[in-house]
Amino acid sequence: MQSSSGEMKLGSIVCQYCGELIDTVDTNRVKILYGVCGLSTCSVNNPKEMEQPLPPQAEQGKRVWHFQEGHAGMKTLLGGKGANLAEMTNAGLPVPPGFTITTDACRAYYSAGGKLPEGLFDEIRSALVKVEQTKKQKFGDSLNPLLVSVRSGSVNSMPGMMDTILNLGLNDNTVKGLASHTGNPQFAYDCYRRLIQMFGNVVFDIEGIHFETLLHRKKNELAIDEDKDVPVEAWIEIIEKFKEVIEWRANVPFPQDVYEQLHLAVEAVFRSWNNQRANVYRKAYNIPDSQGTAVNIQSMVFGNMGDDCGTGVLFTRNPSTGEKALYGEYLINAQGEDVVAGIRTPLPIAKLNQEMPEIYEQLVQTAAKLEAHYKDMQDIEFTVEKGKLFILQTRNGKRTAQAAVKLAVHFVHERILTIEEAMLRIDVEHLNQLLHRAIDEDEKLQVLAVGLPASPGAATGQVVFDADKAEEWSRSGKRVVLVSSETSPEDIHGVIAAEGVLTSRGGMTSHAAVVARGMGKPCVCGCEEVRIDTGEGQFIAGDVKVREGDWITLDGSTGRVIAGTVTLKEPEMSDELGQLLKWADDIRALKIRTNADSPEDAAKARSFGAEGIGLCRTEHMFMSASRLPVVQAMILADNLKDRKAALDQLLPMQQSDFEGIFAAMEGLPVTIRLLDPPLHEFLPNMEELLLRQERMKKDADTIDERSALDQLIRKVRNLQEMNPMLGWRGCRLGILIPEIYQMQVIAIFRAVLALQKKGVQVVPEIMIPLVGHVNELKAMRELVDRTAEDVLGTLKEQVPYQVGTMIEVPRAALTAGQIAQYADFFSFGTNDLTQMTFGYSRDDAEGKFLTHYVEHHILSQNPFQVLDTEGVGLLIEWAVESGRSKKPGLKTGICGEHGGEKDSIFFCHQTGLDYVSCSPFRIPLARIAAAQAQLIHSR
Ligand code: PEP
Ligand code: MG
């Protein structure tokens, strides 16, 4: 294609989240070279609204695309399903013909107040003509009718959240044509009743129960278990009853005009973008509401025409473990959603090799072809119609974190991906799953039942039987396990609220399994030994009754359902994760440190790959039960002598803490922050003291005891502040009571000397908190240097150390150039910096208004979780630049909670910080995020 200037420039559209190549295009026709790939492995957690590539002039405004016209790079316009159907069609795979109505059209539908935009239905009708020609059938024909499915298809995969209608095009007349053309009236009328049921549900919002009750009644009457055994006369009777249900509930007859059916179905699928479960899902995965869904209209193929037909879902590798083996389920003589709906328990795919060996072989080849084509594990839907295989969908399969890591490493070994590509595939938040707990096998377990191990990890909670209650109990602070015969997309809020999910029906690809895996929640599925009686509010497994509110434990890795609570073990790293992390270390520029204030945490962090401690909060060492009385004595001391006496007692304790931490971090830098919180935090709570005082008045306590308490109350009152977070804390304490910092510095250097004597290399860094003015740091640095000299004496030269400051007060960031004169390093305390930049109390904002702000899009994210790059970030950039302009070698890092969050890590990398520091369990995640940052924005 030539640009207007006649010159063609090629460029790549790369997913801004995972770096996946979306398309190679003529750069003259795209506004920007970034997009969102919509891969399930991509940060579905964080897609943002993007400008879309502009289609070529001739195609601009085109709202209906035949499968032959699209390709996989058009997900934003055609949705994931439409783009992949197009890609497969063009790759020569057996895809039933059809077309896609764009997400643009969906947005136009909403802008037009919920009406199909002008001219769209004519475009749909003419697209349908082409499908009729290919299929040699006619829509609405009484002899050989074309039937279509109408399916939603969003940009980011939202499994089961929106609606689908199958068998569209059947009416009282065409059903006869289908019956005689196929010679299978039983099948034809089954299709018709399915259509009326789905249509009633999706278009007229009639609950499925109204139809299901009628069907169950008829099956009972005929003593039939399975739908496939219902005779044609019974279907005809049921169909009439279903039509009455529609008329009764919707006040209109079921439309006999097939074009009216189509019109209503397209509108209903657009509408389903805004149903409750889709909204909940979008919120949970941060998918923009404005994206809209595409609609795919595809000619039907039938898996329910007899025993040479079937339908199934297949993963090219095991989505739970990442193992290289076909993995999936199928049902013979079944249609559409039967496999995922969990109504019949399907058979494992390996069995298809015996039942339909040729089809199985074709599936093996198709799976390999699709995996190689998409360079990723695929989740494929297929149908077999009269011995012929059709592929209805492929998409990158949702996977557990364990599988994601294994796949990334194996794809590199199999030369499907480069290390860099594999690294960018990892959704770092997903890695949290790997840090999931497991059952402690040393414990005696009362296993109640065993189901399918649908999503790994272990969870303990109280049993609830419905999604609303799960949400309600979880809101009130309870941990719940959702137990249900099966889940449907309507239960999404319950799944989100639950610690884990147990279902008695449905397979590994059932709704509960897919959704729980995506969320990283333990799930046990198809556990038929569990008999649920919601009326009685209980389930029975063997001879044990488990009532609502009883505690159970799920082991999603083995499928076990265990009575009561069980000790859970912390996870260990797999070889593949180890490999991936090594690759990440070779790539990344940012160093990763940890926030740790005990030798145990330091050792754990080191085992996860920490390259030092970025923040050791010393106040945590003051809080233990044995130390608190001494700390309180120090705070409450009436004179310097008493205070020093208390500090003398604390000193050896602090020294031994530091020795432990230095030893655990041997050879690596350890940043110790001197005392930060306001002193009243170490004293008893005022309300408790007043209660005690009340009680004493009644009890016969001694006068001495009473006056001691009165004195304590007076002192606590003295230390109370209206705004303690903005009060006497951090270096402000160190300046007014220098003995405290002095004691801490003495303890640090004595610990250094003690360890050096043992041959342990120590790299101490002393950090002053809450500096806002250069003179504060100047004074505190003098105190540290002086004290160090006193302790080290002639050994000073042998103990190199650094003194730096936290930058957590906006004024410190603004005057960083001055502050840098006295600092060897800056560590951005983004918790306080966010608090003070926004003026939001970090203790209150989340509970009071921040959630509302985020829900109502006043803020796009909670700034205490994801760094506000526009405001707080600006201060950081300014501070780094002005600090380094005064002191070129100035070391910089971040130690607020943001140090373990992916987007914030990207920002730190781009701003040129030397390190991020985060909690021990976030370290693997941070190592990979830092590598991704380097790959996307190399520095
Ligand atoms: C911070 O403010 O970001 C910080 C790390 O310090 P703290 O959370 O202890 O106040
Ligand atoms: Mg702070």
Side-chain angles (χ1 to χ4, degrees), residues 434-475:
L434 281 188
L435 309 171
H436 269 177
R437 300 183 180 120
I439 303 277
D440 185 349
E441 298 297 339
D442 292 336
E443 258 198 55
K444 212 165 172 305
L445 305 174
Q446 187 193 353
V447 177
L448 298 174
V450 180
L452 300 170
S455 180
T460 295
Q462 290 176 273
V463 168
V464 286
F465 293 100
D466 84 273
D468 290 345
K469 192 162 268 178
E471 192 179 43
E472 192 192 311
W473 283 24
S474 137
R475 273 217 194 108

Side-chain angles (χ1 to χ4, degrees), residues 463-613:
V463 168
V464 286
F465 293 100
D466 84 273
D468 290 345
K469 192 162 268 178
E471 192 179 43
E472 192 192 311
W473 283 24
S474 137
R475 273 217 194 108
S476 71
K478 292 183 180 174
R479 284 187 291 145
V480 298
V481 169
L482 180 62
V483 181
S484 186
S485 52
E486 68 215 53
T487 69
S488 77
E490 249 102 40
D491 300 315
I492 180 78
H493 57 298
V495 180
I496 290 174
E499 307 287 315
V501 182
L502 166 64
T503 68
S504 56
R505 288 211 295 255
M508 298 288 275
T509 48
S510 65
H511 175 264
V514 171
V515 172
R517 266 204 299 275
M519 291 180 183
K521 297 201 180 211
C523 178
V524 175
C525 269
C527 189
E528 283 166 37
E529 295 165 63
V530 161
R531 277 170 293 128
I532 300 171
D533 184 348
T534 40
E536 283 296 312
Q538 64 182 30
F539 74 75
I540 299 175
D543 49 359
V544 180
K545 260 189 206 156
V546 179
R547 302 196 61 84
E548 185 185 74
D550 288 351
W551 287 83
I552 60 166
T553 299
L554 297 183
D555 181 8
S557 311
T558 62
R560 286 173 302 174
V561 181
I562 298 156
T565 57
V566 172
T567 313
L568 303 180
K569 262 192 331 193
E570 297 303 329
E572 285 161 19
M573 280 209 257
S574 68
D575 290 349
E576 282 89 0
L577 181 58
Q579 174 66 79
L580 201 67
L581 288 167
K582 268 202 206 105
W583 288 335
D585 294 346
D586 291 341
I587 295 168
R588 68 189 160 87
L590 267 178
K591 293 249 177 245
I592 311 293
R593 294 197 190 185
T594 192
N595 294 357
D597 35 65
S598 71
E600 296 73 37
D601 279 1
K604 170 122 259 162
R606 193 164 190 171
S607 75
F608 283 149
E611 294 164 298
I613 289 184

Side-chain angles (χ1 to χ4, degrees), residues 673 676 729 806 808 832 842:
R673 179 178 75 183
D676 182 31
R729 55 174 285 222
M806 295 195 69
E808 48 189 344
D832 272 310
R842 57 194 266 197

